[in-house]
Amino acid sequence: PQAAQELLDILRASDLVKQILAFRRQSEQDPRPVQVKSIVKEALKLLRSTLPTTIAIRQRIVSDDTVLADPTQVHQVLMNLAANAQHAMRESGGELEVALTSEDLDPALAARHPHLGPGRYLRLRVRDTGTGIAPELRERIFDPFFTTKSDGSGMGLSVVQGIVQDAGGVIVVDSAPGQGSTFDVFLPVIRVDAETAPAPAPSKAARSGSPFG
């Protein structure tokens, strides 16, 4: 009976967090045309100054495409994913790869995520050479409160997934123990006319606050 009650409390807490996250996204979102390239470059400058010297950064930022999203939240997506990558490489170091490309929707991805419409997508990739994620854990990493970190909140990837879904995109994970992890964020590209300018990268004031663990 006690175990059952504890499980019920956990389920209620998880549901409450999901509601809080949903409300937070609705109340704080400010979607606008965003050129993600400038945001990623700004985030990389910050990462270079905060990551330990045992972690090398490799970047491939080639897409100039625009998406409809909140620029501050796009920045948060990258910082949260980078924080996860850093944790995975904390003991032996490694390489953090950040890539920004554009591509047409892959048929296999479209089959797994039927809500995605056809067309061109921006892909933000964050890859690490860390410890990797076991298959039994991979299905739970986006659950609120789930974490393998002793000092983590378990909210980082929940927030990332919520932001990506609100922008009409999807996040895909490829990982295995000892093989590192790759997180691919796909966001639908929009056309920008002459009267609509992409939003600039978020200011330092807007970026205040550390990523969730």
Side-chain angles (χ1 to χ4, degrees), residues 36-45 61 78 98 100 124:
V36 178
K37 181 178 182 178
S38 62
I39 297 176
V40 172
K41 287 186 173 182
E42 190 71 21
L44 283 169
K45 292 179 183 177
I61 314 300
L78 177 52
V98 178
L100 188 70
L124 172 63

Side-chain angles (χ1 to χ4, degrees), residues 14 27 42 55 94 113 120 124 143 207:
S14 177
S27 61
E42 190 71 21
I55 297 177
H113 303 278
R120 192 166 178 82
L124 172 63
D143 292 347
R207 296 196 310 265

